[in-house]
Short mmCIF file of all heavy atoms in Angstrom, two decimals:
data_model
loop_
_atom_site.label_atom_id
_atom_site.label_comp_id
_atom_site.label_asym_id
_atom_site.label_seq_id
_atom_site.Cartn_x
_atom_site.Cartn_y
_atom_site.Cartn_z
N MET A 1 98.90 91.58 92.58
CA MET A 1 98.02 90.53 92.13
C MET A 1 97.63 89.61 93.25
O MET A 1 98.37 89.44 94.18
CB MET A 1 98.63 89.72 90.94
CG MET A 1 99.76 88.87 91.37
SD MET A 1 100.23 87.69 90.08
CE MET A 1 100.39 88.75 88.71
N ARG A 2 96.49 89.00 93.05
CA ARG A 2 96.02 87.97 94.00
C ARG A 2 95.80 86.69 93.27
O ARG A 2 95.17 86.70 92.19
CB ARG A 2 94.80 88.44 94.72
CG ARG A 2 94.24 87.42 95.68
CD ARG A 2 93.13 87.94 96.50
NE ARG A 2 93.55 89.09 97.28
CZ ARG A 2 92.76 90.08 97.67
NH1 ARG A 2 91.51 90.05 97.36
NH2 ARG A 2 93.22 91.05 98.35
N VAL A 3 96.28 85.57 93.79
CA VAL A 3 96.13 84.33 93.16
C VAL A 3 95.16 83.46 93.95
O VAL A 3 95.17 83.40 95.13
CB VAL A 3 97.50 83.59 93.03
CG1 VAL A 3 97.37 82.23 92.36
CG2 VAL A 3 98.52 84.45 92.37
N THR A 4 94.26 82.80 93.19
CA THR A 4 93.34 81.84 93.83
C THR A 4 93.49 80.46 93.17
O THR A 4 93.87 80.36 92.01
CB THR A 4 91.87 82.29 93.71
OG1 THR A 4 91.56 82.43 92.26
CG2 THR A 4 91.65 83.62 94.42
N ILE A 5 93.23 79.42 93.94
CA ILE A 5 93.26 78.12 93.42
C ILE A 5 91.99 77.35 93.81
O ILE A 5 91.31 77.66 94.77
CB ILE A 5 94.50 77.30 93.96
CG1 ILE A 5 94.50 77.38 95.51
CG2 ILE A 5 95.81 77.81 93.39
CD1 ILE A 5 95.58 76.51 96.09
N ASP A 6 91.69 76.36 93.04
CA ASP A 6 90.48 75.53 93.25
C ASP A 6 90.99 74.09 93.42
O ASP A 6 91.08 73.36 92.44
CB ASP A 6 89.53 75.66 92.11
CG ASP A 6 88.23 74.88 92.38
OD1 ASP A 6 88.20 74.06 93.33
OD2 ASP A 6 87.25 75.08 91.60
N PRO A 7 91.26 73.66 94.65
CA PRO A 7 91.83 72.36 94.88
C PRO A 7 90.84 71.23 94.49
O PRO A 7 91.25 70.12 94.20
CB PRO A 7 92.07 72.29 96.39
CG PRO A 7 92.06 73.75 96.82
CD PRO A 7 91.15 74.45 95.89
N VAL A 8 89.56 71.54 94.45
CA VAL A 8 88.58 70.51 94.09
C VAL A 8 88.69 70.21 92.60
O VAL A 8 88.63 69.02 92.16
CB VAL A 8 87.17 70.97 94.42
CG1 VAL A 8 86.12 69.99 93.91
CG2 VAL A 8 87.03 71.15 95.93
N ARG A 9 88.97 71.23 91.79
CA ARG A 9 89.04 71.09 90.35
C ARG A 9 90.45 70.49 89.96
O ARG A 9 90.53 69.79 88.96
CB ARG A 9 88.86 72.44 89.72
CG ARG A 9 88.77 72.41 88.20
CD ARG A 9 88.49 73.76 87.71
NE ARG A 9 87.14 74.22 87.80
CZ ARG A 9 86.61 75.11 87.05
NH1 ARG A 9 87.25 75.68 86.12
NH2 ARG A 9 85.35 75.43 87.21
N CYS A 10 91.43 70.78 90.76
CA CYS A 10 92.83 70.44 90.41
C CYS A 10 92.92 68.90 90.23
O CYS A 10 92.38 68.09 91.02
CB CYS A 10 93.77 70.84 91.55
SG CYS A 10 95.44 70.28 91.40
N ILE A 11 93.59 68.53 89.12
CA ILE A 11 93.82 67.10 88.88
C ILE A 11 95.29 66.68 89.11
O ILE A 11 95.75 65.60 88.75
CB ILE A 11 93.41 66.70 87.42
CG1 ILE A 11 94.18 67.56 86.42
CG2 ILE A 11 91.92 66.85 87.26
CD1 ILE A 11 94.01 67.07 84.97
N GLY A 12 96.06 67.62 89.69
CA GLY A 12 97.43 67.30 90.07
C GLY A 12 98.41 67.18 88.93
O GLY A 12 99.40 66.46 89.01
N ALA A 13 98.13 67.91 87.84
CA ALA A 13 98.99 67.82 86.68
C ALA A 13 100.37 68.41 86.92
O ALA A 13 101.32 68.11 86.24
CB ALA A 13 98.30 68.48 85.47
N GLY A 14 100.45 69.35 87.83
CA GLY A 14 101.76 69.93 88.22
C GLY A 14 102.31 71.00 87.29
O GLY A 14 103.41 71.45 87.51
N GLN A 15 101.52 71.36 86.28
CA GLN A 15 102.04 72.43 85.37
C GLN A 15 102.32 73.71 86.07
O GLN A 15 103.27 74.43 85.74
CB GLN A 15 101.01 72.62 84.21
CG GLN A 15 100.77 71.45 83.35
CD GLN A 15 102.03 70.96 82.64
OE1 GLN A 15 102.89 71.78 82.31
NE2 GLN A 15 102.08 69.73 82.32
N CYS A 16 101.50 74.03 87.02
CA CYS A 16 101.66 75.30 87.74
C CYS A 16 102.99 75.33 88.51
O CYS A 16 103.67 76.34 88.56
CB CYS A 16 100.48 75.57 88.66
SG CYS A 16 100.13 74.23 89.83
N VAL A 17 103.32 74.21 89.12
CA VAL A 17 104.57 74.10 89.92
C VAL A 17 105.76 74.29 89.01
O VAL A 17 106.80 74.89 89.36
CB VAL A 17 104.59 72.84 90.74
CG1 VAL A 17 105.88 72.76 91.56
CG2 VAL A 17 103.39 72.72 91.61
N LEU A 18 105.64 73.66 87.82
CA LEU A 18 106.78 73.77 86.86
C LEU A 18 106.93 75.19 86.42
O LEU A 18 108.04 75.67 86.22
CB LEU A 18 106.49 72.86 85.65
CG LEU A 18 106.59 71.38 85.94
CD1 LEU A 18 106.13 70.63 84.66
CD2 LEU A 18 107.98 70.98 86.33
N SER A 19 105.83 75.87 86.25
CA SER A 19 105.89 77.28 85.74
C SER A 19 106.35 78.25 86.83
O SER A 19 107.15 79.17 86.52
CB SER A 19 104.51 77.73 85.24
OG SER A 19 104.09 76.98 84.11
N ALA A 20 105.81 78.12 87.98
CA ALA A 20 106.07 79.14 89.03
C ALA A 20 106.19 78.43 90.40
O ALA A 20 105.31 78.52 91.24
CB ALA A 20 104.94 80.16 89.08
N PRO A 21 107.33 77.76 90.66
CA PRO A 21 107.50 76.99 91.91
C PRO A 21 107.56 77.90 93.17
O PRO A 21 107.37 77.45 94.28
CB PRO A 21 108.83 76.25 91.72
CG PRO A 21 109.55 77.02 90.61
CD PRO A 21 108.49 77.62 89.72
N GLU A 22 107.79 79.22 92.94
CA GLU A 22 107.83 80.09 94.05
C GLU A 22 106.45 80.43 94.57
O GLU A 22 106.26 80.98 95.65
CB GLU A 22 108.62 81.40 93.78
CG GLU A 22 108.16 82.16 92.54
CD GLU A 22 108.69 81.67 91.23
OE1 GLU A 22 108.02 80.78 90.68
OE2 GLU A 22 109.74 82.10 90.73
N VAL A 23 105.43 80.17 93.77
CA VAL A 23 104.09 80.52 94.10
C VAL A 23 103.19 79.25 94.37
O VAL A 23 102.34 79.24 95.24
CB VAL A 23 103.43 81.33 92.98
CG1 VAL A 23 101.97 81.62 93.25
CG2 VAL A 23 104.22 82.64 92.79
N PHE A 24 103.42 78.18 93.61
CA PHE A 24 102.58 76.99 93.71
C PHE A 24 103.37 75.81 94.21
O PHE A 24 104.52 75.68 94.04
CB PHE A 24 101.99 76.61 92.31
CG PHE A 24 101.20 77.72 91.71
CD1 PHE A 24 101.75 78.50 90.75
CD2 PHE A 24 99.92 77.93 92.13
CE1 PHE A 24 101.00 79.55 90.17
CE2 PHE A 24 99.13 78.97 91.54
CZ PHE A 24 99.76 79.74 90.52
N ASP A 25 102.63 74.97 94.94
CA ASP A 25 103.25 73.71 95.42
C ASP A 25 102.14 72.66 95.33
O ASP A 25 100.98 72.93 95.00
CB ASP A 25 103.72 73.89 96.86
CG ASP A 25 104.76 72.87 97.28
OD1 ASP A 25 105.03 71.94 96.46
OD2 ASP A 25 105.34 72.95 98.37
N GLN A 26 102.48 71.39 95.64
CA GLN A 26 101.48 70.34 95.67
C GLN A 26 101.56 69.62 96.98
O GLN A 26 102.63 69.45 97.56
CB GLN A 26 101.75 69.37 94.52
CG GLN A 26 101.44 69.91 93.14
CD GLN A 26 101.90 69.03 92.03
OE1 GLN A 26 103.13 68.98 91.78
NE2 GLN A 26 100.99 68.28 91.40
N ASP A 27 100.44 69.17 97.48
CA ASP A 27 100.42 68.43 98.72
C ASP A 27 100.77 66.95 98.47
O ASP A 27 101.15 66.60 97.37
CB ASP A 27 99.08 68.58 99.48
CG ASP A 27 97.94 67.87 98.75
OD1 ASP A 27 98.19 67.05 97.85
OD2 ASP A 27 96.77 68.11 99.11
N ASP A 28 100.73 66.11 99.50
CA ASP A 28 101.15 64.73 99.35
C ASP A 28 100.35 63.96 98.32
O ASP A 28 100.82 62.98 97.78
CB ASP A 28 101.03 64.00 100.72
CG ASP A 28 102.08 64.53 101.71
OD1 ASP A 28 103.03 65.19 101.25
OD2 ASP A 28 101.87 64.28 102.87
N GLU A 29 99.17 64.45 98.03
CA GLU A 29 98.34 63.77 97.03
C GLU A 29 98.41 64.45 95.65
O GLU A 29 97.66 64.12 94.72
CB GLU A 29 96.92 63.65 97.50
CG GLU A 29 96.81 62.77 98.70
CD GLU A 29 95.43 62.79 99.38
OE1 GLU A 29 94.59 63.57 98.94
OE2 GLU A 29 95.28 61.96 100.29
N GLY A 30 99.28 65.42 95.52
CA GLY A 30 99.48 66.11 94.21
C GLY A 30 98.55 67.25 93.99
O GLY A 30 98.56 67.89 92.94
N VAL A 31 97.71 67.59 95.01
CA VAL A 31 96.74 68.69 94.81
C VAL A 31 97.48 70.02 95.11
O VAL A 31 98.24 70.15 96.02
CB VAL A 31 95.56 68.49 95.77
CG1 VAL A 31 94.65 69.70 95.69
CG2 VAL A 31 94.85 67.22 95.48
N VAL A 32 97.12 70.95 94.25
CA VAL A 32 97.81 72.29 94.31
C VAL A 32 97.60 72.96 95.68
O VAL A 32 96.55 72.87 96.28
CB VAL A 32 97.28 73.17 93.16
CG1 VAL A 32 95.84 73.50 93.35
CG2 VAL A 32 98.11 74.46 93.05
N THR A 33 98.62 73.60 96.14
CA THR A 33 98.63 74.45 97.31
C THR A 33 99.30 75.79 96.94
O THR A 33 100.07 75.78 95.98
CB THR A 33 99.34 73.84 98.52
OG1 THR A 33 100.65 73.61 98.21
CG2 THR A 33 98.65 72.55 98.92
N LEU A 34 99.00 76.82 97.68
CA LEU A 34 99.55 78.14 97.41
C LEU A 34 100.64 78.40 98.41
O LEU A 34 100.50 78.32 99.60
CB LEU A 34 98.50 79.19 97.55
CG LEU A 34 97.78 79.72 96.27
CD1 LEU A 34 96.82 80.86 96.70
CD2 LEU A 34 98.77 80.15 95.19
N ARG A 35 101.81 78.85 97.90
CA ARG A 35 102.88 79.26 98.77
C ARG A 35 102.74 80.81 98.94
O ARG A 35 103.16 81.34 99.95
CB ARG A 35 104.23 79.01 98.11
CG ARG A 35 104.47 77.55 97.87
CD ARG A 35 105.67 77.34 96.97
NE ARG A 35 106.95 77.55 97.66
CZ ARG A 35 107.69 76.59 98.26
NH1 ARG A 35 107.26 75.39 98.24
NH2 ARG A 35 108.74 76.88 98.87
N GLU A 36 102.20 81.48 97.98
CA GLU A 36 102.10 82.95 98.00
C GLU A 36 100.71 83.33 97.42
O GLU A 36 100.53 83.15 96.23
CB GLU A 36 103.11 83.55 97.09
CG GLU A 36 104.41 84.10 97.64
CD GLU A 36 104.30 84.92 98.87
OE1 GLU A 36 103.34 85.71 99.03
OE2 GLU A 36 105.21 84.80 99.71
N GLU A 37 99.86 83.87 98.26
CA GLU A 37 98.55 84.38 97.74
C GLU A 37 98.72 85.69 97.04
O GLU A 37 98.00 86.02 96.12
CB GLU A 37 97.56 84.46 98.86
CG GLU A 37 96.18 84.81 98.37
CD GLU A 37 95.24 84.96 99.56
OE1 GLU A 37 95.53 84.46 100.66
OE2 GLU A 37 94.16 85.58 99.34
N ARG A 38 99.69 86.50 97.51
CA ARG A 38 99.96 87.79 96.93
C ARG A 38 101.37 87.88 96.46
O ARG A 38 102.23 88.50 97.06
CB ARG A 38 99.70 88.92 97.95
CG ARG A 38 98.30 88.95 98.50
CD ARG A 38 97.38 89.76 97.61
NE ARG A 38 97.95 91.06 97.35
CZ ARG A 38 97.77 92.16 98.07
NH1 ARG A 38 97.11 92.11 99.18
NH2 ARG A 38 98.32 93.28 97.72
N PRO A 39 101.71 87.19 95.35
CA PRO A 39 103.13 87.14 94.89
C PRO A 39 103.65 88.52 94.45
O PRO A 39 102.89 89.41 94.07
CB PRO A 39 103.12 86.18 93.78
CG PRO A 39 101.68 86.15 93.27
CD PRO A 39 100.84 86.45 94.48
N ASP A 40 104.92 88.65 94.48
CA ASP A 40 105.56 89.85 93.98
C ASP A 40 105.20 90.05 92.49
O ASP A 40 105.17 89.13 91.73
CB ASP A 40 107.07 89.65 94.16
CG ASP A 40 107.82 90.93 93.89
OD1 ASP A 40 107.86 91.45 92.78
OD2 ASP A 40 108.43 91.46 94.88
N PRO A 41 104.90 91.30 92.18
CA PRO A 41 104.56 91.61 90.80
C PRO A 41 105.61 91.13 89.81
O PRO A 41 105.35 90.88 88.60
CB PRO A 41 104.40 93.12 90.72
CG PRO A 41 104.08 93.49 92.16
CD PRO A 41 104.78 92.51 93.04
N ALA A 42 106.83 91.03 90.29
CA ALA A 42 107.95 90.59 89.36
C ALA A 42 107.68 89.21 88.80
O ALA A 42 108.24 88.85 87.74
CB ALA A 42 109.27 90.60 90.14
N VAL A 43 106.91 88.34 89.44
CA VAL A 43 106.65 86.98 88.95
C VAL A 43 105.27 86.93 88.26
O VAL A 43 104.80 85.84 88.02
CB VAL A 43 106.79 85.93 90.08
CG1 VAL A 43 108.19 85.89 90.61
CG2 VAL A 43 105.76 86.16 91.16
N GLY A 44 104.72 88.09 88.01
CA GLY A 44 103.36 88.13 87.40
C GLY A 44 103.29 87.33 86.09
O GLY A 44 102.28 86.61 85.87
N ASP A 45 104.31 87.43 85.23
CA ASP A 45 104.25 86.75 83.97
C ASP A 45 104.21 85.25 84.14
O ASP A 45 103.41 84.55 83.47
CB ASP A 45 105.42 87.14 83.11
CG ASP A 45 105.24 88.56 82.54
OD1 ASP A 45 104.14 89.13 82.63
OD2 ASP A 45 106.23 89.08 81.96
N VAL A 46 105.05 84.72 84.99
CA VAL A 46 105.08 83.24 85.16
C VAL A 46 103.80 82.75 85.88
O VAL A 46 103.32 81.65 85.63
CB VAL A 46 106.32 82.74 85.90
CG1 VAL A 46 107.53 82.87 85.02
CG2 VAL A 46 106.51 83.42 87.25
N VAL A 47 103.23 83.58 86.76
CA VAL A 47 101.96 83.16 87.38
C VAL A 47 100.81 83.13 86.34
O VAL A 47 100.04 82.18 86.30
CB VAL A 47 101.61 84.14 88.51
CG1 VAL A 47 100.20 83.86 89.02
CG2 VAL A 47 102.62 84.05 89.65
N ARG A 48 100.80 84.10 85.51
CA ARG A 48 99.79 84.10 84.44
C ARG A 48 100.00 82.96 83.47
O ARG A 48 99.06 82.30 82.99
CB ARG A 48 99.78 85.46 83.69
CG ARG A 48 98.94 86.49 84.36
CD ARG A 48 98.85 87.78 83.60
NE ARG A 48 99.94 88.61 83.96
CZ ARG A 48 99.93 89.56 84.94
NH1 ARG A 48 98.82 89.66 85.65
NH2 ARG A 48 100.91 90.28 85.27
N GLU A 49 101.28 82.59 83.20
CA GLU A 49 101.60 81.48 82.34
C GLU A 49 101.07 80.20 83.06
O GLU A 49 100.54 79.32 82.37
CB GLU A 49 103.11 81.41 82.09
CG GLU A 49 103.47 80.24 81.25
CD GLU A 49 105.01 80.08 81.15
OE1 GLU A 49 105.66 81.10 81.09
OE2 GLU A 49 105.46 78.90 81.18
N ALA A 50 101.34 80.10 84.33
CA ALA A 50 100.86 78.91 85.09
C ALA A 50 99.36 78.73 84.96
O ALA A 50 98.84 77.67 84.76
CB ALA A 50 101.30 79.04 86.57
N ALA A 51 98.62 79.83 85.14
CA ALA A 51 97.19 79.80 85.00
C ALA A 51 96.74 79.36 83.63
O ALA A 51 95.82 78.56 83.49
CB ALA A 51 96.59 81.19 85.36
N ALA A 52 97.47 79.85 82.64
CA ALA A 52 97.08 79.49 81.26
C ALA A 52 97.37 78.03 80.96
O ALA A 52 96.64 77.39 80.16
CB ALA A 52 97.85 80.42 80.28
N ARG A 53 98.41 77.49 81.64
CA ARG A 53 98.79 76.09 81.29
C ARG A 53 97.98 75.05 82.11
O ARG A 53 98.02 73.90 81.83
CB ARG A 53 100.29 75.93 81.60
CG ARG A 53 101.17 76.65 80.60
CD ARG A 53 102.64 76.52 80.96
NE ARG A 53 103.11 75.19 80.80
CZ ARG A 53 104.41 74.83 81.12
NH1 ARG A 53 105.23 75.74 81.57
NH2 ARG A 53 104.77 73.59 80.92
N CYS A 54 97.29 75.53 83.14
CA CYS A 54 96.52 74.54 83.94
C CYS A 54 95.43 73.97 83.04
O CYS A 54 94.59 74.64 82.51
CB CYS A 54 95.90 75.22 85.16
SG CYS A 54 94.84 74.14 86.10
N PRO A 55 95.41 72.62 82.91
CA PRO A 55 94.46 71.99 81.98
C PRO A 55 92.99 72.09 82.47
O PRO A 55 92.09 71.79 81.68
CB PRO A 55 94.96 70.56 81.93
CG PRO A 55 95.75 70.36 83.13
CD PRO A 55 96.32 71.67 83.50
N VAL A 56 92.79 72.39 83.77
CA VAL A 56 91.39 72.39 84.24
C VAL A 56 91.01 73.85 84.77
O VAL A 56 89.98 73.94 85.41
CB VAL A 56 91.21 71.36 85.36
CG1 VAL A 56 91.28 69.97 84.75
CG2 VAL A 56 92.20 71.52 86.49
N GLU A 57 91.76 74.80 84.41
CA GLU A 57 91.50 76.18 84.81
C GLU A 57 91.23 76.33 86.25
O GLU A 57 90.20 76.93 86.69
CB GLU A 57 90.34 76.75 83.93
CG GLU A 57 90.67 76.72 82.49
CD GLU A 57 89.53 77.27 81.59
OE1 GLU A 57 88.54 77.75 82.18
OE2 GLU A 57 89.69 77.28 80.38
N ALA A 58 92.10 75.78 87.07
CA ALA A 58 91.95 75.77 88.49
C ALA A 58 92.65 76.96 89.17
O ALA A 58 92.63 77.11 90.38
CB ALA A 58 92.45 74.47 89.15
N ILE A 59 93.29 77.81 88.40
CA ILE A 59 94.06 78.98 88.91
C ILE A 59 93.42 80.22 88.41
O ILE A 59 93.14 80.41 87.25
CB ILE A 59 95.48 78.85 88.40
CG1 ILE A 59 96.14 77.57 88.96
CG2 ILE A 59 96.27 80.07 88.95
CD1 ILE A 59 97.50 77.29 88.33
N GLY A 60 93.19 81.11 89.37
CA GLY A 60 92.68 82.41 89.04
C GLY A 60 93.68 83.50 89.39
O GLY A 60 94.41 83.39 90.39
N VAL A 61 93.82 84.51 88.54
CA VAL A 61 94.74 85.60 88.76
C VAL A 61 93.96 86.92 88.69
O VAL A 61 93.27 87.17 87.69
CB VAL A 61 95.87 85.63 87.71
CG1 VAL A 61 96.81 86.80 87.99
CG2 VAL A 61 96.65 84.29 87.73
N GLU A 62 94.02 87.68 89.79
CA GLU A 62 93.26 88.90 89.88
C GLU A 62 94.22 90.02 90.01
O GLU A 62 95.13 89.98 90.88
CB GLU A 62 92.32 88.78 91.10
CG GLU A 62 91.43 89.97 91.37
CD GLU A 62 90.69 89.71 92.71
OE1 GLU A 62 90.83 88.67 93.26
OE2 GLU A 62 90.10 90.69 93.13
N THR A 63 94.07 91.03 89.23
CA THR A 63 94.89 92.25 89.39
C THR A 63 94.20 93.19 90.35
O THR A 63 93.02 93.53 90.13
CB THR A 63 95.15 92.89 88.08
OG1 THR A 63 95.78 91.94 87.16
CG2 THR A 63 96.04 94.09 88.17
N ILE A 64 94.93 93.55 91.39
CA ILE A 64 94.22 94.35 92.42
C ILE A 64 94.76 95.81 92.54
O ILE A 64 94.35 96.55 93.37
CB ILE A 64 94.23 93.66 93.75
CG1 ILE A 64 95.68 93.33 94.13
CG2 ILE A 64 93.34 92.45 93.73
CD1 ILE A 64 95.76 92.70 95.51
N GLY A 65 95.71 96.10 91.71
CA GLY A 65 96.21 97.47 91.80
C GLY A 65 97.20 97.72 90.60
O GLY A 65 97.55 96.82 89.94
N ARG A 66 97.51 98.93 90.43
CA ARG A 66 98.40 99.24 89.33
C ARG A 66 99.74 98.56 89.54
O ARG A 66 100.37 98.74 90.56
CB ARG A 66 98.56 100.75 89.31
CG ARG A 66 98.62 101.17 87.86
CD ARG A 66 99.32 102.35 87.57
NE ARG A 66 98.94 103.63 88.17
CZ ARG A 66 98.73 104.68 87.36
NH1 ARG A 66 98.67 104.56 86.12
NH2 ARG A 66 98.61 105.90 87.96
N GLY A 67 100.17 97.86 88.51
CA GLY A 67 101.47 97.19 88.58
C GLY A 67 101.52 96.07 89.53
O GLY A 67 102.58 95.52 89.93
N ASP A 68 100.35 95.63 90.03
CA ASP A 68 100.31 94.56 91.01
C ASP A 68 99.64 93.36 90.46
O ASP A 68 98.61 92.93 90.91
CB ASP A 68 99.63 95.10 92.25
CG ASP A 68 99.86 94.15 93.44
OD1 ASP A 68 100.78 93.41 93.45
OD2 ASP A 68 99.00 94.20 94.36
S1 LIG B 1 98.33 72.95 86.81
FE1 LIG B 1 96.17 72.93 87.49
S2 LIG B 1 95.65 70.80 87.68
FE2 LIG B 1 97.88 70.96 87.61
S3 LIG B 1 98.54 70.99 89.75
FE3 LIG B 1 98.33 73.11 89.07
S4 LIG B 1 96.25 73.67 89.60
FE4 LIG B 1 96.36 71.47 89.70
#
């Protein structure tokens, strides 16, 4: 999978970091940053959960291969 973020849209709610701290982080101003653009498929469920919980839909999840 490939994860994308939209820092302009992000309001710094931090839900993504709570859901998947191995993939998402926040900068000094609380704006989302990516630790992993291509996370291990094993964390796919929590990444999708993070995207679903983001209140401003600033997280995109793209499946780029089988099981990925
Ligand atoms: S959940 Fe959405 S708004 Fe909140 S920090 Fe993450 S990307 Fe930004």
Side-chain angles (χ1 to χ4, degrees):
M1 68 167 51
R2 178 172 300 152
V3 181
T4 59
I5 53 174
D6 183 347
V8 174
R9 187 179 281 205
C10 174
I11 57 170
Q15 297 297 332
C16 54
V17 181
L18 290 174
S19 296
E22 56 278 88
V23 176
F24 302 100
D25 202 353
Q26 289 171 284
D27 68 14
D28 291 344
E29 294 173 353
V31 177
V32 66
T33 60
L34 263 185
R35 300 169 73 95
E36 260 318 322
E37 187 181 341
R38 299 275 309 273
D40 190 293
V43 297
D45 285 350
V46 289
V47 171
R48 276 184 271 272
E49 180 187 321
R53 291 176 69 182
C54 176
V56 291
E57 299 182 2
I59 299 170
V61 180
E62 182 186 350
T63 302
I64 53 176
R66 218 205 301 233
D68 191 24

